[in-house]
Amino acid sequence: MCGIVGYIGPRNTLGILLNGLSTLEYRGYDSAGVSFIQDGRLELIKKKGYVKELREAVAQAGFTLDDRHTNRISAGIGHTRWATHGAPSDENSHPHMSMNGKLCVVHNGIIENYAELRRFLKKKGYVFASETDTEVAAQLIEYYYGLNDNKDINAAVRRALKDIVGSYALCVLCVDEPDRLICAKKDNPIVLGIGKGENFIASDVTAMIEYTKDVVFLEDNWILTMTKDSVEITDVYGDPVEYKVEAVVWDADSVQKGGYAHFMMKEMHEEPKIFEATVEPRIKDGDIYLEHFPVDEEYMKGIHNINIIACGTAFHAGCVGKYLIEKLCRIPVVCTVASEFIYSDPIIDEHTLTLVISQSGETLDTRNAMKKAKELGSGTLAIVNVIGSTIAREADNVLYTAAGPEISVASTKAYVAQLGCLYLIALKFAHVLGKLDKEKYEYYQNELLQIPDKLEQILRKQTDIQRFASTHFNVESTFFIGRGLDYFLSMETSLKLKEISYIHSEAYAGGELKHGTIALIEDGTLVVCPITQDDLVSKMESNIKEVATRGATVLAIVPERFRDIKFSCDVRFTIPDCDELMAPILGVLPCQIFAYYMAVYKGCDVDKPRNLAKSVTVE
Ligand code: AGP
């Protein structure tokens, strides 16, 4: 969702801010803006639309983005806004300037008591230029700044925060203190990047890894004051806090397209590499190691049930995890969409382990669900991609997926990496519980280690899928049908198709079709059937026949070992053989490629689909 960048240092500040905002575009937004202090003047440029339009507006206003020019800007902040309070418009875009022009504010999150604060400020004579909750913060800070004899912007921010109820990553630029930036954080991520004679802030590290790898993930209720040479972090009372500088392992190339037309294509091509990076280092001498997560027989015997919470694609990975853990460990598992979990009355106590799955580590629904599980006494193990993210820090233990930055809104490689972690967890638990003998345990490890090569083989045949998409992208409706693990695979790939191509798409359990949905099948309906489980072949062939006789065009995705089986499909795509338990990891890739090309042929903005944000930090 919204993105923040801030910079103080000798480089061209506008160049840093606008490049940073471009990098954060993937988070999803509808307007953008910058504010900076040049020659002692507080400047503000903001626009509805994309960063490209903001760049043009900055150039038209006569400011240079060229690094070779001397930087006359003492400090700057920038923002991409994903509208919540007030429609996308120039006025509602951030930064927001306070009424007397003293300061500008950018904000991610929601100020819940903004209406009450607005009434208070109006009584004090403040006039508002936007409909946003953020403008209230700008006016309130200015109000307290005016009351403050020492004219200390840090003190004014801390005082205003006492009145603000809600969540925020807030960054403030004050014309009277042109060499300082103040940031505050509660329930929204903000990262400090420490350079030499320069400092950065951003919503995530991708916006700064080109310049520095030394970062501090700010904690809730911390206040950061930075100049180009100094960093001071306090709590809301102004007392210094201890903080840790961490080194980012991601490299700058990982946020570039690297010759691919879209990040999504690049990220699908990274799947072999990132699966290997997630799985291989955790397998040693015939055993699986889950870093600092203590898994011994005594611990496992104390776990009576497992609870999985996640949203969207991560939830679909969780469904596969449920299947695996129940099958291999014989422990009851419930997998719930995080936004529903918080309204449920789950059977959870200290004998429950909760697995929390999130690429971004910032999804608010998932965070809230994790909080509830903890309150009920459950231990938590998070499977997270973004290092240092909130869920990673708030969970009892974390297992990182080694997917690197995922920029495309449609999650592909992170899903495959999440599966990697879930297979490791299920196998380890089963072995520790004595449900999986050494021979079978090592057999499955070996199967996992062969996945990267097999993913490569699928990528080499991507033009077969492309060809199919090139003649079917005009369909109005697509159904994905599968049974068992293939049903979860269908759920995930149906989501992928709808989110990037806007084609209506549903996933159905093969056996459910005849209970109603088959009424929707007609001439020209497209049906995609992953069939990877040996004992489900004949059942799925019956499903294919049912839809084919009603006019559907059927694409089947099957392993090589089914080569002699006749299916009534129109086209079949073959994936390499593997143990059928591992098939979801291979089966998803051709379906992702299919969704990608359907969207490309339809002319959709693949990496930035309409209405979607990469990291969903509102409920
Ligand atoms: C995936 O393609 C989606 N964009 C979305 O469903 C996503 O998986 C979901 O919002 C969860 O995000 P998270 O993994 O960052 O928590």
Side-chain angles (χ1 to χ4, degrees):
M1 293 193 144
C2 307
I4 289 177
V5 286
Y7 177 71
I8 305 190
R11 297 177 207 253
N12 183 297
T13 303
L14 282 168
I16 300 272
L17 296 180
L18 286 157
N19 291 346
L21 292 180
S22 296
T23 307
L24 296 180
E25 281 188 305
Y26 79 97
R27 295 168 69 90
Y29 73 110
D30 44 55
S31 49
V34 285
S35 171
F36 47 94
I37 299 173
Q38 176 160 312
D39 302 330
R41 269 173 59 92
L42 183 59
E43 306 282 355
L44 172 63
I45 304 170
K46 55 186 190 168
K47 281 204 84 55
K48 178 183 166 188
Y50 285 155
V51 175
K52 191 170 145 280
E53 282 133 29
L54 177 65
R55 271 179 201 276
E56 284 161 16
V58 166
Q60 268 166 22
F63 296 101
T64 177
L65 280 80
D66 190 336
D67 221 1
R68 286 166 303 184
H69 288 74
T70 315
N71 190 18
R72 284 158 52 205
I73 297 177
S74 56
I77 53 179
H79 191 266
T80 48
R81 172 177 187 253
W82 191 86
T84 54
H85 293 64
S89 69
D90 290 356
E91 297 72 34
N92 289 338
S93 310
H94 298 213
H96 287 283
M97 190 181 273
S98 59
M99 188 179 76
N100 298 320
K102 278 279 170 216
L103 51 95
C104 275
V105 170
V106 290
H107 164 229
N108 290 357
I110 291 178
I111 298 174
E112 286 162 20
N113 60 338
Y114 85 101
E116 184 192 317
L117 293 173
R118 202 173 155 113
R119 276 195 298 277
F120 165 79
L121 287 159
K122 274 188 169 171
K123 279 193 200 137
K124 300 285 175 195
Y126 277 88
V127 177
F128 287 81
S130 80
E131 302 157 89
T132 64
D133 52 339
T134 302
E135 193 186 0
V136 168
Q139 312 288 31
L140 192 65
I141 296 167
E142 185 181 83
Y143 170 70
Y144 283 120
Y145 184 70
L147 295 183
N148 169 334
D149 289 341
N150 304 327
K151 294 282 173 286
D152 175 359
I153 187 65
N154 178 301
V157 170
R158 284 190 285 114
R159 177 60 193 87
L161 291 179
K162 282 191 183 167
D163 294 351
I164 289 175
V165 177
S167 62
Y168 46 80
L170 203 69
C171 189
V172 185
L173 185 60
C174 176
V175 71
D176 294 341
E177 302 185 30
D179 304 317
R180 294 214 285 176
L181 278 183
I182 313 289
C183 287
K185 176 200 180 298
K186 183 167 173 284
D187 291 332
N188 261 270
I190 190 103
V191 188
L192 158 69
I194 301 177
K196 288 198 175 63
E198 59 181 351
N199 286 312
F200 306 78
I201 48 132
S203 293
D204 66 53
V205 295
T206 57
M208 59 175 80
I209 46 177
E210 198 182 332
Y211 313 106
T212 180
K213 297 271 174 78
D214 294 331
V215 301
V216 178
F217 298 100
L218 297 197
E219 302 269 348
D220 279 355
N221 302 314
W222 282 8
I223 315 287
L224 159 74
T225 307
M226 71 182 203
T227 67
K228 70 182 175 51
D229 301 307
S230 70
V231 163
E232 183 189 281
I233 306 179
T234 70
D235 59 19
V236 281
Y237 306 105
D239 295 325
V241 298
E242 268 185 39
Y243 61 87
K244 199 166 101 204
V245 180
E246 298 183 42
V248 178
V249 289
W250 293 350
D251 60 34
D253 289 348
S254 56
V255 292
Q256 306 298 330
K257 280 191 205 143
Y260 289 93
H262 299 98
F263 278 108
M264 184 177 171
M265 183 47 92
K266 178 187 178 220
E267 288 162 5
M268 291 187 295
H269 274 258
E270 287 171 349
E271 284 180 19
K273 188 182 76 187
I274 64 92
F275 190 85
E276 186 176 334
T278 301
V279 166
E280 200 257 358
R282 291 179 170 127
I283 297 182
K284 270 186 222 101
D285 305 325
D287 202 354
I288 291 171
Y289 296 86
L290 305 175
E291 278 105 79
H292 311 294
F293 185 55
V295 191
D296 56 20
E297 196 179 348
E298 198 192 354
Y299 172 80
M300 282 313 301
K301 293 235 157 96
I303 298 296
H304 298 173
N305 63 334
I306 289 180
N307 169 44
I308 303 181
I309 43 183
C311 299
T313 287
F315 167 73
H316 298 149
C319 293
V320 175
K322 168 190 158 68
Y323 181 101
L324 296 174
I325 295 169
E326 287 190 332
K327 186 174 178 68
L328 296 171
C329 308
R330 311 308 298 157
I331 299 176
V333 185
V334 176
C335 180
T336 318
V337 166
S339 55
E340 285 299 314
F341 179 82
I342 47 179
Y343 306 116
S344 65
D345 194 359
I347 302 166
I348 286 180
D349 59 21
E350 66 279 14
H351 295 292
T352 309
L353 170 66
T354 295
L355 300 180
V356 185
I357 311 173
S358 175
Q359 186 285 130
S360 62
E362 301 295 346
T363 304
L364 190 57
D365 289 328
T366 311
R367 286 180 59 196
N368 289 341
M370 178 167 87
K371 193 163 164 237
K372 176 166 178 170
K374 281 181 139 187
E375 281 164 7
L376 292 169
S378 174
T380 50
L381 171 62
I383 298 171
V384 173
N385 192 43
V386 177
I387 296 163
S389 57
T390 310
I391 291 174
R393 283 182 285 125
E394 289 177 352
D396 299 330
N397 288 285
V398 60
L399 209 55
Y400 281 112
T401 49
E406 190 177 62
I407 306 293
S408 169
V409 166
S411 184
T412 53
K413 62 175 180 172
Y415 173 76
V416 165
Q418 285 160 356
L419 290 184
C421 285
L422 288 161
Y423 278 84
L424 293 173
I425 289 169
L427 293 175
K428 178 75 180 181
F429 286 8
H431 182 61
V432 170
L433 282 166
K435 301 270 164 55
L436 200 59
D437 64 33
K438 183 101 181 109
E439 195 185 332
K440 201 77 184 161
Y441 185 44
E442 289 188 7
Y443 159 79
Y444 281 130
Q445 291 170 34
N446 195 35
E447 281 290 301
L448 281 181
L449 293 172
Q450 289 179 36
I451 293 288
D453 274 353
K454 295 176 182 177
L455 288 169
E456 289 286 5
Q457 289 172 40
I458 294 171
L459 287 169
R460 284 199 285 274
K461 295 199 305 180
Q462 75 177 47
T463 44
D464 295 354
I465 296 279
Q466 178 180 0
R467 206 170 305 120
F468 181 79
S470 73
T471 51
H472 292 88
F473 66 92
N474 277 327
V475 293
E476 281 185 8
S477 197
T478 301
F479 290 85
F480 288 80
I481 55 174
R483 290 171 183 250
L485 281 170
D486 295 331
Y487 173 47
F488 307 131
L489 167 55
S490 298
M491 285 159 65
E492 169 51 15
T493 50
S494 169
L495 174 68
K496 215 84 310 167
L497 182 68
K498 72 184 94 171
E499 70 181 331
I500 59 171
S501 73
Y502 319 139
I503 293 171
H504 168 255
S505 160
E506 298 290 341
Y508 271 89
E512 254 318 270
L513 268 187
K514 58 187 175 296
H515 297 291
T517 312
I518 200 158
L520 295 174
I521 306 291
E522 57 188 6
D523 258 352
T525 308
L526 185 56
V527 177
V528 181
C529 298
I531 312 166
T532 64
Q533 309 294 301
D534 295 72
D535 56 352
L536 295 174
V537 167
S538 62
K539 291 271 186 318
M540 282 307 297
E541 166 57 6
S542 304
N543 285 142
I544 294 178
K545 275 207 174 102
E546 284 161 12
V547 295
T549 51
R550 287 163 177 85
T553 304
V554 182
L555 165 66
I557 300 193
V558 297
E560 273 160 16
R561 65 180 180 282
F562 294 171
R563 76 179 71 80
D564 298 329
I565 301 177
K566 284 216 169 7
F567 291 105
S568 312
C569 58
D570 298 273
V571 177
R572 72 160 76 187
F573 181 85
T574 310
I575 59 173
D577 280 330
C578 64
D579 185 280
E580 60 178 2
L581 204 60
M582 313 284 163
I585 319 169
L586 296 182
V588 75
L589 181 52
C591 297
Q592 291 169 342
I593 296 169
F594 165 72
Y596 170 83
Y597 279 116
M598 294 289 273
V600 168
Y601 284 116
K602 278 196 73 187
C604 300
D605 189 349
V606 175
D607 285 335
K608 294 196 288 286
R610 68 186 180 203
N611 305 338
L612 298 183
K614 182 69 179 164
S615 155
V616 184
T617 50
V618 294
E619 280 177 86

